[in-house]
Amino acid sequence: MPGGVSSPVRAFKSVGGQPIVFDRVQGAYAWDVDGNQYIDYVGSWGPAICGHSHPEVNKALHEVLEKGTSFGAPSALENILAEMVIDAVPSVEMVRFVNSGTEACMSVLRLMRAFTGREKIVKFEGCYHGHADMFLVKAGSGVATLGLPDSPGVPKSTTANTLTAPYNDLDAVKVLFAENPDQIAGVILEPVVGNAGFIPPDAGFLAGLREITQEHGALLVFDEVMTGFRISYGGAQQKFGITPDLTTMGKVIGGGLPVGAYGGRRDIMAMVAPAGPMYQAGTLSGNPLAMTAGIKTLELLRQPGSYEHLDRVTKKLVEGLLQIAQETGHAACGGSISGMFGFFFTEGPVHNYEDAKKCDLTKFSRFHRGMLERGVYLAPSQFEAGFTSLAHTDADIDRTLEAARDVLSSL
Ligand SMILES: *Cc1c(COP(=O)(O)O)cnc(C)c1O
């Protein structure tokens, strides 16, 4: 396997050292093949929001397993999860299930273009929307940069229609719309960034994008693959009270099995085949096991107190970390919303990817290694958000903070 892994960040390249090979996961913990236990703040990159291997999710999976692993035909389970998503997420009136966040984002891009008849899109520097060609562009320096591909194998012609702007910069977006009249299909973004570290939207940013897109007949798309059902049960759009036209989902919605989804306004979703002419399909889409893990996970999440718990333990973790950093003389900034958090080894504030890049990566690598040695598994990159779950207890946070004090005192 290239790099010994099935997905790049897992290889620990940005922090150095060897990746940890997991054997099993349960609740807030992971065990490696040597039997070492870790408090896990990656949570399979988001899906494990109820805690790993939740007994109720596992029980439901066992029951469905007896009925078969794949139907390739409609099932009642899809309808149940679709109704739950439509009830929960303000923008979603119709939904299509796929198998990953990448698939959701590449499909929604086709839909944006099909619906508007326009080809250009706007994305933000540091936002990740899966590994489809058109999204593999990071901004260059200037305010408004034409997209150049990030990876060999992505044709320039593919990314020529991908315009980029710095996150939290409404003026840059206005310039792009002015320079490309009637050509921009829409704007896609992470409503809270998690793929450049944790970067929340400035006050007025999401509302400003809603206004600009409406003014220009373009669509607003929230990529809630990470934030959906995590920032709140209705996602970032519910939390911030801004309703996009379309939304992509993944991670939590599959409860640890491979699921993605895209949905939104009925008139737009009606373009998707077979209701409409925009083709998109999937052999395993709506898989009964995957739907079941999603349904059970959402059922657990909507029990009273879930988000209050996530909010409380996560705040305690991040505020504790920042306090300890200050006491031990390290510049740091960070924050959290519900069960999503991040911190940077830089004074801050961090409003966009450029700001985030000022952080001390060497210090982060040493911190990461020290925490690992003390049984705390953090995302192996300064540019990834962290996640807590319903299974994380105050005692877990206390142990984590103790480890952090130990490590930061020695750096
Ligand atoms: C993880 C992620 C994706 C890609 O999802 P995969 O399931 O890894 O393909 C897309 N967008 C965002 C915001 C993500 O966090």
Side-chain angles (χ1 to χ4, degrees):
M1 297 184 289
V5 291
S6 299
S7 191
V9 193
R10 298 178 197 171
F12 276 38
K13 271 197 127 168
S14 65
V15 289
Q18 295 298 316
I20 306 297
V21 179
F22 281 5
D23 178 53
R24 67 190 176 93
V25 289
Q26 176 73 61
Y29 310 119
W31 286 264
D32 67 22
V33 287
D34 297 319
N36 299 305
Q37 183 185 336
Y38 303 89
I39 304 173
D40 179 17
Y41 291 103
V42 178
S44 189
W45 302 95
I49 193 166
C50 298
H52 289 291
S53 309
H54 193 285
E56 281 186 45
V57 178
N58 281 4
K59 182 166 168 280
L61 283 173
H62 281 295
E63 280 163 16
V64 172
L65 184 62
E66 294 301 317
K67 295 184 175 188
T69 57
S70 180
F71 299 160
S75 81
L77 294 163
E78 289 168 297
N79 288 272
I80 296 170
L81 188 56
E83 270 175 20
M84 291 175 89
V85 173
I86 289 164
D87 282 348
V89 186
S91 68
V92 178
E93 295 173 346
M94 289 180 96
V95 64
R96 164 64 56 86
F97 292 113
V98 293
N99 304 288
S100 71
T102 293
E103 224 188 302
C105 292
M106 59 189 271
S107 306
V108 95
L109 175 64
R110 186 177 303 144
L111 182 55
M112 288 161 79
R113 289 168 162 169
F115 184 77
T116 59
R118 302 174 180 177
E119 296 202 348
K120 292 183 178 170
I121 59 147
V122 174
K123 80 173 280 288
F124 293 92
E125 188 179 350
C127 282
Y128 181 64
H129 304 296
H131 67 80
D133 281 2
M134 312 67 83
F135 291 124
L136 282 188
V137 184
K138 80 182 161 207
S141 34
V143 174
T145 317
L146 272 184
L148 282 179
D150 262 353
S151 163
V154 176
K156 283 200 192 74
S157 56
T158 310
T159 54
N161 286 318
T162 308
L163 311 172
T164 57
Y167 198 76
N168 277 325
D169 190 342
L170 282 178
D171 288 337
V173 177
K174 285 181 191 157
V175 168
L176 290 175
F177 272 98
E179 286 175 349
N180 299 275
D182 300 325
Q183 295 168 57
I184 297 174
V187 174
I188 185 168
L189 78 157
E190 294 180 62
V192 177
V193 182
N195 287 288
F198 173 83
I199 307 175
D202 290 346
F205 180 58
L206 300 178
L209 291 177
R210 183 63 285 184
E211 236 170 72
I212 296 169
T213 46
Q214 241 149 16
E215 200 178 302
H216 291 273
L219 301 175
L220 180 63
V221 183
F222 280 6
D223 178 354
E224 297 231 38
V225 171
M226 187 181 287
T227 53
F229 303 99
R230 179 165 283 279
I231 289 295
S232 77
Y233 191 67
Q237 53 197 270
Q238 183 185 54
K239 167 97 187 161
F240 292 102
I242 304 293
T243 307
D245 301 296
L246 293 166
T247 300
T248 56
M249 290 156 278
K251 298 189 169 115
V252 171
I253 202 181
L257 272 84
V259 183
Y262 62 103
R265 266 167 46 192
R266 178 179 294 275
D267 60 324
I268 307 176
M269 289 302 291
M271 290 217 57
V272 178
M278 191 214 83
Y279 193 71
Q280 186 273 309
T283 300
L284 291 173
S285 297
N287 174 274
L289 286 171
M291 295 293 105
T292 300
I295 293 165
K296 276 292 152 191
T297 298
L298 297 197
E299 278 177 9
L300 290 164
L301 278 175
R302 68 182 183 191
Q303 287 172 6
S306 295
Y307 291 91
E308 287 77 4
H309 174 87
L310 293 171
D311 213 32
R312 194 178 58 75
V313 293
T314 317
K315 262 207 187 87
K316 175 172 168 165
L317 173 71
V318 172
E319 284 171 6
L321 278 174
L322 294 179
Q323 174 75 28
I324 292 165
Q326 196 182 21
E327 286 166 20
T328 51
H330 298 284
C333 65
S336 68
I337 304 177
S338 177
M340 179 173 168
F341 70 91
F343 62 94
F344 296 102
F345 283 120
T346 177
E347 208 64 65
V350 172
H351 294 288
N352 56 38
Y353 190 39
E354 276 309 307
D355 295 341
K357 281 196 289 194
K358 291 181 191 137
C359 64
D360 186 338
L361 292 179
T362 312
K363 187 176 281 180
F364 179 78
S365 302
R366 293 168 64 203
F367 177 69
H368 185 269
R369 175 59 45 183
M371 293 300 276
L372 211 52
E373 284 165 359
R374 288 162 183 78
V376 179
Y377 191 84
L378 297 169
S381 164
Q382 176 85 98
F383 300 115
E384 297 285 354
F387 304 113
T388 51
S389 76
L390 297 179
H392 284 76
T393 62
D394 282 296
D396 293 324
I397 306 298
D398 290 338
R399 259 178 65 202
T400 306
L401 292 177
E402 244 171 71
R405 183 176 294 281
D406 211 24
V407 177
L408 286 174
S409 308
S410 69
L411 287 187

